[in-house]
């Protein structure tokens, strides 16, 4: 079955530390991949998305993700996190011909000031 | 533009009861999707409606149903509630919905309805 896996369920960092959240997918062929963020008490919102082209995708708030087809990965990165990045992060994906995206279980990120 | 709104924001029900949740999409959006979010399970897709028709459906029992009205507003109904139905139910809207191929519209999510079943 097609799936999206997030291996880090809880991450705790200090401000200014670098962040990398793992995401692996199991689709073959064309894939569409997304990272969403859910800040405490707020709506889920799109951070970035990949459809095709440059495998390094830039998103909002300084986040980026790299699509590595050979590793079936789409890891989220940020060089220097801030306290305000404390949130739940969800990776999602779908095959190009599918209607339904699959979400990972989420990673809870806590950034200490 | 107003965002996706969901009502009510919080609900407490008892086992065996039924519940109806409402979602108003962003103006102009024709697709509405529903998700169930629980700790440790992430978001699980329930169904998607487009132009008043259910276009896609996830793997949930028939107790979960929905509909969409001509103004794109959508309702979701859960009958014979079980304790395991306690969750945050999210609604998302997009222009054209979960289309195949490369052109996928971004989904905009509402704040959710927190359902607690006692």
């Amino acid at each position: 079955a097609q799936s999206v896996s997030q291996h880090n369920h809880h991450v705790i960092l200090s401000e200014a530390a670098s962040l990398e959240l793992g995401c692996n997918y199991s689709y073959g062929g064309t894939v569409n991949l997304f990272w969403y963020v859910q800040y405490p008490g707020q709506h889920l919102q799109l951070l970035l998305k990949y459809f095709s082209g440059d495998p390094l995708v830039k998103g909002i708030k300084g986040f980026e993700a790299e699509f590595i087809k050979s590793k079936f990965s789409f890891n989220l990165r940020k060089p220097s996190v801030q306290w305000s990045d404390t949130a739940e992060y969800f990776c999602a994906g779908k095959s190009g011909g599918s209607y339904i995206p699959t979400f990972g279980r989420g990673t809870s990120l806590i950034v200490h000031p | 533009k107003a965002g996706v709104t969901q009502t009510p924001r919080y609900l407490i029900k008892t086992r065996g009861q039924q519940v109806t949740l409402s979602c108003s999409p962003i103006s102009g959006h024709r697709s509405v999707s529903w998700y169930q979010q629980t700790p440790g399970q992430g978001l699980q897709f329930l169904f998607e409606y487009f132009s008043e028709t259910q276009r896609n459906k996830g793997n949930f029992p028939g107790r979960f149903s929905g509909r969409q009205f001509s103004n794109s507003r959508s309702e979701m109904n859960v009958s014979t509630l079980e304790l395991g139905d306690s969750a945050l139910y999210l609604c998302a809207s997009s222009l054209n919905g979960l289309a195949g191929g490369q052109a996928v519209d971004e989904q905009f999510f509402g704040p959710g309805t927190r359902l607690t079943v006692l």
Side-chain angles (χ1 to χ4, degrees):
Chain A
Q2 297 175 333
S3 67
V4 171
S5 301
Q6 292 181 245
H7 306 295
N8 317 104
H9 299 301
H10 300 279
V11 174
I12 301 173
L13 296 172
S14 298
E15 274 195 318
S18 64
L19 170 72
E20 181 160 4
L21 300 182
C23 174
N24 288 93
Y25 63 91
S26 64
Y27 309 100
T30 305
V31 293
N32 306 139
L33 297 162
F34 312 82
W35 274 99
Y36 286 86
V37 62
Q38 190 173 34
Y39 297 104
Q42 293 189 28
H43 304 189
L44 204 67
Q45 57 183 288
L46 185 69
L47 267 179
L48 47 79
K49 59 186 177 183
Y50 171 81
F51 289 106
S52 62
D54 189 344
L56 186 61
V57 181
K58 303 282 188 185
I60 60 172
K61 305 187 180 186
F63 287 91
E64 65 178 31
E66 185 174 12
F67 170 61
I68 303 179
K69 190 172 182 178
S70 61
K71 295 184 178 180
F72 295 89
S73 70
F74 189 59
N75 293 354
L76 181 71
R77 300 194 295 246
K78 186 171 185 179
S80 176
V81 295
Q82 300 172 312
W83 173 78
S84 58
D85 292 324
T86 293
E88 189 93 16
Y89 292 82
F90 294 92
C91 182
K94 61 183 269 309
S95 61
S98 170
Y99 284 90
I100 302 171
T102 301
F103 281 77
R105 293 189 175 187
T107 297
S108 173
L109 171 66
I110 295 175
V111 179
H112 288 299
Chain B
K1 240 182 197 180
V4 178
T5 58
Q6 292 186 246
T7 57
R9 293 293 310 277
Y10 302 92
L11 264 178
I12 298 175
K13 293 284 187 179
T14 56
R15 278 180 298 175
Q17 287 187 308
Q18 74 165 24
V19 67
T20 299
L21 313 181
S22 181
C23 171
S24 293
I26 290 173
S27 177
H29 285 191
R30 297 165 65 190
S31 166
V32 173
S33 296
W34 289 90
Y35 294 85
Q36 182 194 66
Q37 183 180 3
T38 53
Q41 293 295 319
L43 277 74
Q44 294 184 285
F45 176 78
L46 281 153
F47 29 63
E48 183 226 4
Y49 285 86
F50 182 81
S51 293
E52 302 179 64
T53 301
Q54 187 181 87
R55 189 165 63 172
N56 295 287
K57 188 177 187 304
N59 296 320
F60 277 79
R63 300 185 297 108
F64 293 81
S65 63
R67 59 178 175 168
Q68 186 180 35
F69 302 96
S70 57
N71 61 358
S72 292
R73 190 177 69 85
S74 177
E75 286 182 348
M76 187 193 119
N77 185 275
V78 188
S79 62
T80 319
L81 283 167
E82 300 176 0
L83 294 178
D85 297 333
S86 294
L88 181 67
Y89 289 89
L90 295 173
C91 167
S93 78
S94 60
L95 276 170
N96 292 304
L98 307 174
Q102 295 297 303
V104 174
D105 300 321
E106 175 183 347
Q107 289 186 297
F108 293 84
F109 284 83
T113 293
R114 174 77 60 187
L115 172 65
T116 302
V117 182
L118 302 175

